[in-house]
Amino acid sequence: RQFMISLALGWATFAAALGGLVTILSGFIIPRVDFTKIETFKVGPPSNFPPKTVNEDFKGSGKFWLVNDGSKIYAISVVCTHLGCTPNWMPNETKFKCPCHGSGFTMQGKNFEGPAPNWLRRYEVSLADDGQIVVNKGRLFFEEKGEFEDPRSFIAV
């Protein structure tokens, strides 16, 4: 009788430990991201973004920069294409510089130094009925796929 009680307690302990392990591992396997949520931001009228400037107002809250290169306005993702760090805008050098491994990007997001293999990504931008720029983070554009010429990836100024 004592053997059966010990055996039952042993199996119960094993099952509890296994259940805890499965719970912990599922936290690593199942993403904690809501893929149904599409973030859109109204950022203001195009007149708020003068030519040849990078606006950093949404770097923290929206994870993008709004760039007016003089002919187009576009939203650039703040995620470096090397390992996902956040580059900094260096106005004196007119470039984005990643602090992690030294990748450099032009105002347009083109990689020109360091290990980053691709351009910075762009988000969809459009003009709302009230004249404000709307950034849609649900749609990314990739230069290596030739998507930067898509009219949804920029607003002509």
Side-chain angles (χ1 to χ4, degrees):
R1 180 175 181 190
Q2 185 63 34
F3 173 75
M4 294 303 283
I5 292 172
S6 297
L7 186 64
L9 286 174
W11 275 108
T13 304
F14 175 74
L18 189 62
L21 182 64
V22 167
T23 302
I24 291 170
L25 289 177
S26 68
F28 290 104
I29 296 170
I30 300 170
R32 295 181 199 156
V33 179
D34 181 7
F35 291 108
T36 62
K37 180 178 162 189
I38 297 175
E39 293 183 283
T40 57
F41 295 84
K42 277 193 174 181
V43 297
S47 58
N48 287 359
F49 308 99
K52 304 285 185 188
T53 60
V54 174
N55 182 293
E56 295 192 87
D57 292 348
F58 303 95
K59 181 180 176 183
S61 62
K63 304 289 185 209
F64 63 88
W65 293 288
L66 211 65
V67 177
N68 182 342
D69 69 1
S71 62
K72 297 176 182 176
I73 295 177
Y74 38 86
I76 297 180
S77 169
V78 301
V79 178
C80 178
T81 56
H82 178 230
L83 290 177
C85 296
T86 301
N88 296 307
W89 171 243
M90 313 295 254
N92 295 337
E93 301 175 42
T94 61
K95 69 178 180 180
F96 296 101
K97 186 74 171 174
C98 185
C100 295
H101 299 103
S103 293
F105 303 90
T106 64
M107 178 186 275
Q108 292 77 20
K110 180 178 182 180
N111 56 318
F112 69 92
E113 66 182 354
N118 299 311
W119 290 49
L120 294 171
R121 311 297 186 223
R122 291 185 186 173
Y123 292 116
E124 181 178 41
V125 290
S126 60
L127 283 175
D129 293 337
D130 61 359
Q132 291 194 57
I133 297 171
V134 177
V135 177
N136 176 6
K137 290 186 60 184
R139 175 72 167 98
L140 268 177
F141 293 90
F142 300 81
E143 191 280 332
E144 58 270 22
K145 294 181 181 178
E147 296 176 337
F148 279 13
E149 296 307 314
D150 188 318
R152 296 173 297 170
S153 72
F154 63 88
I155 297 172
V157 184

